[in-house]
Every structure is written in structure tokens, then in C-alpha cells.
Amino acid sequence: MISFPTVEAISVGGYGLYPGTEAATGLSLDLQPGANLILGVNGLGKSTLLLMLRHMITGPFAVREPGKLGEARKALIASNKSVFSARTADRAKSATATARLRIGDSVLEVERRLSDLRLISCRDLETCEEFDDEQTYQIYLCQKSNFADFADIVRVIDYLCFFLESRKTLVWNLRAQYEILRAILLDGKTNRKLKELEASIISSDSSERNIRSVLKTIRDKHVKTVSQFDNADVVRSEIAELKIEKEKTEAELESIDADYEKAESAHRSAQTQLETSDTELDASETAFEAAKYEVMRHAFAGLPASEAYVFLKLATSQHCSACGNDAKSSAVELNARIIEGRCPVCGEEHNRDPEIRDISEASHADLLDKYSQLEQARELRGSFESALEITGDRVRSISRTRSELQLKTRKIIDKIHELERELPPEEQSALREQKERIELLETSRRDFIAKREQAEAEFRETFDLFKQRTLEVRKTIEDRFAYWASIYFVEEVRLAYTPREEALGQGSGVSRFHFPAFEIEMVGTASTGDFIRREDSEVSLSQRDYLDLAFRMALLEAAQISTANLVVDSPEGAVDAVFAGRAGNLFSAFANNAYGRDSNFRPTLIAACNVVDGDFVPNLFHGLSKAARYSRLLDLTQIAAPTQALTSLREEYEGKIREAMSSATDGST
């Protein structure tokens, strides 16, 4: 079980951006589970404070953007150490920040210099262990949180917990999804094993490709050596002809290998589509049976329960309860009457009370709709089944051709070896030296291939556990996303589980794996009618942000953690007045765990926004007393170094803040 590092409090001293008040210098912020608000005007350091919260956990480090699978790159990289010193005239020379971090049952006190983010000290308040070097701090956080490595901690902070100005998109970044899902769904030990096996596959694949390149150079030289003897005699002539035939056959085989790989991929894709259509067909059949039952319930409303049961039994099981015989034809006729809206007993039109008839007709309309959907699902499955059969035939056909070419190649090689033994000794010596080197490299190449295949087998075993864990929480993620999205969006939005197939490594023989991934589907209305939007380029900037936030919220809940920060910069910035209120509702619901009040998850939400009109602040603090609202507010207009605008318009700004903080409804004063 993993635990997220969560900031519970921060204090800042000696930093020119936050001089504080006469009563208390500097800045001090105690964060409470639920909603917390940092309020101010442009230039007071709202974004700077949120960034400071992040760096108190991560220090002077960031993670590299996820690249292609198979790239061997260092994940943890240095970040800008002067990010805070650049904001003040004295370069934050004597400024420090101290944060209280909770990781599971442990509480750490972390102090850093703001001039360069250097760790001053880290103390475990329970065990009293203390240290001041960054490496020990990173190892300690990994041990306490059960993450595989510090890069995963930073990745979770940036892709899940902190939604800042330079935010990283998650829902449209499929490789980032893989990294995050692996980090939050696996324990540290299993995740490390998966990473080590992945690195072994990549390393072996790279070495095998390098040897293959050297082999090509030596073989070309070997061909050149052989060609020097072309005019010697008939034997050399035969060898040359066989070499040409061998190269031609090998070229054909290489082409066939490429065709085979494509055919295999198409066959696996058809298999996946068929499995998906089976699931959709099951759902359509279930929906149709439910609709049919509703129609039958209204159709038999005037019959005693025992008589209605006889007909229901006949329609659903094709078995007659009266005589005990199988009655398929009668059941077919009965179901036809039901689908056509006639009386299932006599087959005539219904003659009922109008109100009951309206209900029955509505049920029948729903039944026809479900029957149409069922027929479409059956037709779609049939097309996928045909595609699977076609692609399977294609794979088998190519495989037969491939085997024939491989056999032909082996026979040519054997014949060449037989003829080479007939060459004069001095010529055999030159060829033998080249052949020995080729065989040595081929042995090394086969060793690396075997090592890669062994690592792939072990990787697949552990990777299957990861996929199974993802499937276990898939519905939770999809349901939670739908719930959070429905609070903000008026469009129909859903999250679809769409695994992607990719290879670890770049060689032609590497195995391919289905990596878990989720995709957005938003039904919107345009001038041409309804259409489904899936790409980030198809939605507005604000929609993009809130789709990503809903996805992050869903993943935070699926991680089965007790607490986490969700830090959001300017959530009201890109939305209009109406959607600012909806945004406030969304964050309030998440902060108060509105979806699953029975769970142990209690997030600490921190939002930073400008002093603006609208319902964002009132809705964010909905249900809290006035005293509770102010206890969760950090008003930077009273703490931060004032801008010219704040100095000139302070009275107006303070009035707007009082108005916003007094607008939330709680039933008290």
C-alpha cells in the first residue's frame, strides 16, 4: 500500500514577497482536510506559494517528460534552483521555508533554503531521526511512502496532486498514464521489478541491434571476399550463384517477416475488438431482457401471478410449465407478440385503460429501441468475428510461406558450406576467418536475444499483475470520473478504457504488450450536429483543464490512499461566471469526498485565485460556518508585499473579499 506525501502546513520567513503583519512576520499556513483557499490579487505571490508547497516535497528536482517506450533515459532531472530567489531583490539570501509533511502514519518537518532549495534539515517527529542531505531524504520518503523510487514521487506530485501554471496534462498523455498507473497501483517492490525487467529488455534489444549492424558489415566483406574468386572455376561460380540466391531468399524472408508481424498485429487487434464486442453484446442482451421483462410485466398485469409465471417461464426458457415439454416455436411466437406490442396471450391488440396503455406503449418503445441496439451489437460482433477469421487465415498463410523460405535458406547455406570445402586450402583460410567471426557474433546475438526473451517472459508475468490491478479499479476510475465531470460539464462526458499496443525496444523481434490507458469521449453539439470529441485539440482550454482535473480526482480515489493534496492554481481563470460557480461546486464536492463518504479518503484541497466576483468562492465553502470559512482562508492582501493596485484600491479589494466570504450558505452567521 502506497502513501502520498501530503503538505499539512508551511511557514516562510525572511522572504521579501511575504513580509507578514505587525503582529506576525512572514507567512504561516495550516492546511485542513477539505477545502482551503489562497486569495489575492495579481503580483502578490499566489502561484509562487503553490510552487513553494511543491518544492518542499520535491526539492530542486523534476521528472523528464515520458518518452517512447524503450528509451533508456534518466527520469529524475534538476529543476530551476533560483525559482524563488528571482522574485526578490535580495535573492532570498536569508529566506527559509519549513513544511510539515504527512506520509501515512509518519510526520516529517522539512526545512529548505529558498535561495537554492537546498535541504537544511528533515526530522521525523515520531522517531526523531534527522538528516540534512538530499539523497537520504529521498530514500527516506520512498521507504515511508512505498513508492519504487523518488522519480515516481515527483511524477505523482506533478501529474496528480499539483495543477499549477506549468501543469502537465495527464488524460491525453498515454505514456504518462502508464507511469502514473504503475506508480499508484503497484507496491514499490513490484514496481521496481517491473522497471528492472523493462530496462533489461531495452538493454538486450539495444545490444542485439548493435551486433546485428556489425554482422552486416562483416557479411558484406565476406561476400566481397567470395566474389574475388568468381572466375576461378565452376565451384566458385556455383558458390557465387548460391550467394545471390541466398541473398534473394533472405530478402524475401525479411519482407515476409514484416508481413507476418503486420498480420499478427491485425489478428491481435481483431481479437481485442471481438472481445470488446462480446462485452457490449452481453450488455445489450441484458438491457433487452430487462426491457422485455418490463413489457411482459405490463402485458400480464391483469393476470394472476401463477398464470403470468407460466407465460414468463415460456418466453424466457422456452419450456412449458403446464406439460413439461420444450416449446421453442411457442416461445418464438410469444416473444414476437411481445416485440410487436400485441397481447402475448391471444396475439390481438391490447384493449386497456388509457393510462396503463400509455405506460405499456412506452415500455414497448423502449423494448424496440433495446432490440434495435441488440441487433446492431450482434451485427457488429459478426463483422469482428469475420475479421478475426480473415486475419487468422492471413497469419497462417504467411506462416506457411515463411517456413518454406526458412527451409530453402537452410538448404542453400548447407550447399554453400559443402562447396566451400572443395575450395583450395589458401582460399578456405580467408573464408574460415570471416566465418568464425560471424559465428562468434551470431552466438553473442543469440545470447542477447535469449536474455531479452527471458526478461520479456518475466516482464509479462509481472505486467499481467499490473494489468489485472488496473482492470480491478477500471470501473471505479470510470465511475468516479463520470461523477466529477457531471458536476462541472453540461455535455455528456465519459472515460473509456482503451489499452494501447506497443513494443518495449525497437528491434523487429521484440514482443508487444497491451498497456492500460484511458481515453476521453465528450459528446458535444456543433453546427453540423452531435459529434464525439476525443482529442485535446477538439475541446476548449477550460474544458481541457477540467477534464484533466476530473481524471486526476478519479485516480486519486482509485489509489486507495487515506489523504493527498490537490493543489490548483487559478481554477476560475479561464471560465465564465456561470462555470466559475460550477467549478466551486466541483472542488467543494471533491474536498468533502461527496462521492464516497464511507471511504477513508480525506483530501486536502488548496485553491489559489484572484479576488473576483461570482460564485466560485461561495460555492467552494458551501456548508461551512463563517468561522470555518475564515479558518481555511489565507488572505495574501494582508500578508504579501502590496502592489500599486492593492495600495490604491485596498478598500475595494477588502470589501470584495468580505462579500465573497459571506456569500456561502451554511444556515449560520
Side-chain angles (χ1 to χ4, degrees):
M1 181 72 71
I2 61 170
S3 298
F4 282 29
T6 305
V7 182
E8 292 186 333
I10 187 172
S11 61
V12 183
Y15 191 50
L17 201 59
Y18 308 126
T21 64
E22 292 182 1
T25 60
L27 179 149
S28 181
L29 174 61
D30 284 317
L31 299 166
Q32 303 179 47
N36 299 266
L37 178 64
I38 299 172
L39 207 55
V41 300
N42 286 333
L44 292 190
K46 301 182 302 299
S47 298
T48 299
L49 182 55
L50 297 188
L51 195 59
M52 199 176 292
L53 292 172
R54 175 200 178 275
H55 281 289
M56 293 308 293
I57 301 173
T58 66
F61 292 97
V63 284
R64 196 184 300 274
E65 288 284 341
K68 293 182 179 179
L69 285 171
E71 285 187 340
R73 303 190 304 167
K74 186 177 180 181
L76 200 63
I77 58 176
S79 64
N80 181 11
K81 295 182 179 180
S82 61
V83 61
F84 301 115
S85 64
R87 290 296 309 269
T88 61
D90 66 350
R91 306 292 296 177
K93 183 177 180 180
S94 58
T96 62
T98 304
R100 187 173 73 245
L101 308 182
R102 177 172 294 279
I103 312 175
D105 296 328
S106 299
V107 179
L108 309 182
E109 187 179 83
V110 179
E111 184 179 10
R112 292 186 180 276
R113 293 193 323 208
L114 294 183
S115 59
D116 58 3
L117 292 175
R118 180 178 175 180
L119 181 67
I120 298 174
S121 70
C122 175
R123 186 163 65 94
D124 190 321
L125 299 183
E126 180 181 4
T127 65
C128 295
E129 291 180 80
E130 188 169 356
F131 38 86
D132 59 3
D133 66 286
E134 202 74 46
Q135 185 176 6
T136 304
Y137 165 78
Q138 293 177 5
I139 294 172
Y140 200 79
L141 252 63
C142 292
Q143 291 173 345
K144 291 295 183 180
S145 63
N146 200 21
F147 278 103
D149 51 43
F150 192 71
D152 274 352
I153 293 178
V154 178
R155 188 173 287 113
V156 163
I157 293 298
D158 285 344
Y159 281 96
L160 282 185
C161 299
F162 280 71
F163 199 75
L164 307 181
E165 282 184 335
S166 58
R167 42 186 161 262
K168 299 178 184 294
T169 300
L170 179 59
V171 74
W172 281 286
N173 190 333
L174 299 185
R175 291 192 175 90
Q177 282 191 36
Y178 167 58
E179 298 287 354
I180 289 296
L181 288 169
R182 185 172 67 176
I184 68 175
L185 297 182
L186 296 178
D187 61 87
K189 181 179 179 181
T190 305
N191 195 3
R192 276 192 298 275
K193 180 181 179 182
L194 204 61
K195 289 185 178 185
E196 290 167 1
L197 290 169
E198 184 175 314
S200 178
I201 293 170
I202 294 165
S203 174
S204 299
D205 173 65
S206 177
S207 298
E208 185 272 330
R209 286 185 289 110
N210 290 337
I211 292 176
R212 195 191 323 151
S213 177
V214 174
L215 269 169
K216 184 181 184 304
T217 301
I218 299 175
R219 280 175 173 149
D220 289 345
K221 185 178 179 180
H222 183 66
V223 171
K224 186 177 180 180
T225 303
V226 172
S227 68
Q228 295 173 352
F229 310 126
D230 283 346
N231 299 321
D233 54 26
V234 176
V235 174
R236 296 187 186 94
S237 178
E238 281 189 64
I239 291 176
E241 290 175 1
L242 286 171
K243 292 283 186 180
I244 294 171
E245 186 178 359
K246 175 174 170 288
E247 289 178 2
K248 181 181 177 181
T249 306
E250 287 176 341
E252 292 177 10
L253 186 58
E254 185 176 350
S255 176
I256 285 292
D257 284 342
D259 291 343
Y260 183 79
E261 185 173 345
K262 291 177 183 178
E264 271 276 288
S265 179
H267 187 58
R268 288 193 297 268
S269 178
Q271 181 66 47
T272 300
Q273 290 176 324
L274 181 61
E275 291 171 357
T276 301
S277 68
D278 283 338
T279 301
E280 293 174 353
L281 179 59
D282 288 344
S284 297
E285 289 176 342
T286 300
F288 172 71
E289 289 300 324
K292 186 171 75 175
Y293 174 81
E294 190 65 19
V295 170
M296 294 173 68
R297 188 172 64 83
H298 287 296
F300 296 137
L303 294 179
S306 59
E307 296 178 16
Y309 172 80
V310 172
F311 286 96
L312 286 169
K313 181 73 173 178
L314 176 60
T316 57
S317 68
Q318 301 184 352
H319 182 79
C320 180
S321 299
C323 66
N325 291 320
D326 291 333
K328 182 176 181 180
S329 59
S330 298
V332 170
E333 173 61 20
L334 181 57
N335 279 300
R337 292 174 180 176
I338 292 169
I339 293 174
E340 293 168 5
R342 294 181 287 133
C343 174
V345 178
C346 66
E348 300 298 326
E349 296 291 328
H350 284 288
N351 183 20
R352 288 184 174 165
D353 179 86
E355 182 175 352
I356 296 175
R357 187 164 57 249
D358 287 346
I359 296 173
S360 179
E361 289 174 357
S363 299
H364 179 251
D366 181 59
L367 177 66
L368 292 178
D369 181 58
K370 294 298 188 295
Y371 182 75
S372 175
Q373 293 176 16
L374 176 60
E375 287 299 300
Q376 291 175 6
R378 286 170 174 167
E379 182 178 349
L380 187 61
R381 188 198 180 281
S383 67
F384 288 145
E385 191 173 30
S386 297
L388 182 65
E389 184 177 351
I390 291 170
T391 56
D393 290 340
R394 173 68 174 160
V395 168
R396 288 186 288 273
S397 174
I398 294 174
S399 181
R400 285 192 296 270
T401 303
R402 187 186 188 198
S403 298
E404 290 169 1
L405 285 173
Q406 288 172 340
L407 178 60
K408 182 179 179 181
T409 302
R410 285 195 296 271
K411 287 183 177 180
I412 293 173
I413 292 172
D414 290 342
K415 182 62 176 177
I416 290 173
H417 290 168
E418 180 181 345
L419 290 172
E420 285 175 347
R421 287 192 291 271
E422 299 176 12
L423 290 174
E426 62 275 9
E427 295 177 356
Q428 289 185 5
S429 176
L431 294 173
R432 190 182 305 113
E433 182 179 346
Q434 292 175 348
K435 284 174 57 179
E436 287 175 354
R437 191 175 177 198
I438 289 172
E439 289 173 358
L440 181 64
L441 288 171
E442 276 287 6
T443 300
S444 296
R445 179 172 174 263
R446 286 193 296 270
D447 288 343
F448 279 117
I449 291 174
K451 183 178 179 182
R452 187 201 68 214
E453 290 175 346
Q454 176 63 31
E456 284 176 342
E458 294 180 30
F459 178 89
R460 189 178 298 280
E461 181 178 352
T462 307
F463 186 76
D464 286 345
L465 294 176
F466 166 57
K467 288 201 301 182
Q468 181 60 39
R469 180 71 184 111
T470 305
L471 290 174
E472 288 171 2
V473 299
R474 166 190 172 182
K475 191 174 188 308
T476 297
I477 294 172
E478 291 173 341
D479 290 349
R480 297 296 199 269
F481 173 86
Y483 177 78
W484 299 123
S486 70
I487 297 176
Y488 179 82
F489 291 94
V490 295
E491 296 91 342
E492 180 185 345
V493 183
R494 79 182 189 96
L495 193 68
Y497 181 69
T498 53
R500 74 190 197 283
E501 186 186 63
E502 286 196 51
L504 280 174
Q506 302 171 37
S508 60
V510 296
S511 296
R512 303 179 69 85
F513 301 86
H514 286 84
F515 290 85
F518 293 87
E519 182 182 70
I520 293 290
E521 292 185 353
M522 172 185 281
V523 179
T525 302
S527 58
T528 56
D530 289 344
F531 70 101
I532 296 178
R533 290 175 280 178
R534 294 186 175 90
E535 302 297 330
D536 57 349
S537 59
E538 296 172 341
V539 300
S540 69
L541 179 62
S542 62
Q543 288 176 329
R544 192 181 310 164
D545 283 348
Y546 279 88
L547 287 169
D548 207 55
L549 279 166
F551 186 51
R552 292 177 181 224
M553 291 174 177
L555 290 180
L556 284 170
E557 290 187 296
Q560 296 183 353
I561 50 178
S562 59
T563 186
N565 292 132
L566 180 59
V567 182
V568 186
D569 196 0
S570 302
E572 85 298 346
V575 299
D576 59 32
V578 172
F579 276 88
R582 296 177 73 89
N585 289 334
L586 170 63
F587 291 120
S588 176
F590 178 76
N592 293 289
N593 197 19
Y595 188 99
R597 294 185 180 276
D598 295 333
S599 76
N600 295 322
F601 181 54
R602 291 295 179 267
T604 298
L605 179 113
I606 308 149
C609 68
N610 282 322
V611 179
V612 293
D613 290 324
D615 293 330
F616 176 81
V617 174
N619 290 0
L620 176 68
F621 283 147
H622 175 75
L624 296 178
S625 68
K626 185 175 182 180
R629 295 197 293 272
Y630 274 94
S631 72
R632 296 169 176 269
L633 170 69
L634 178 66
D635 184 358
L636 287 181
T637 65
Q638 305 300 317
I639 296 172
T643 62
Q644 184 62 48
L646 178 58
T647 301
S648 302
L649 305 172
R650 179 176 289 278
E651 185 174 343
E652 293 181 47
Y653 278 124
E654 289 178 349
K656 290 293 185 182
I657 292 174
R658 287 193 298 271
E659 179 182 341
M661 293 299 291
S662 301
S663 298
T665 57
D666 63 340
S668 63
T669 59

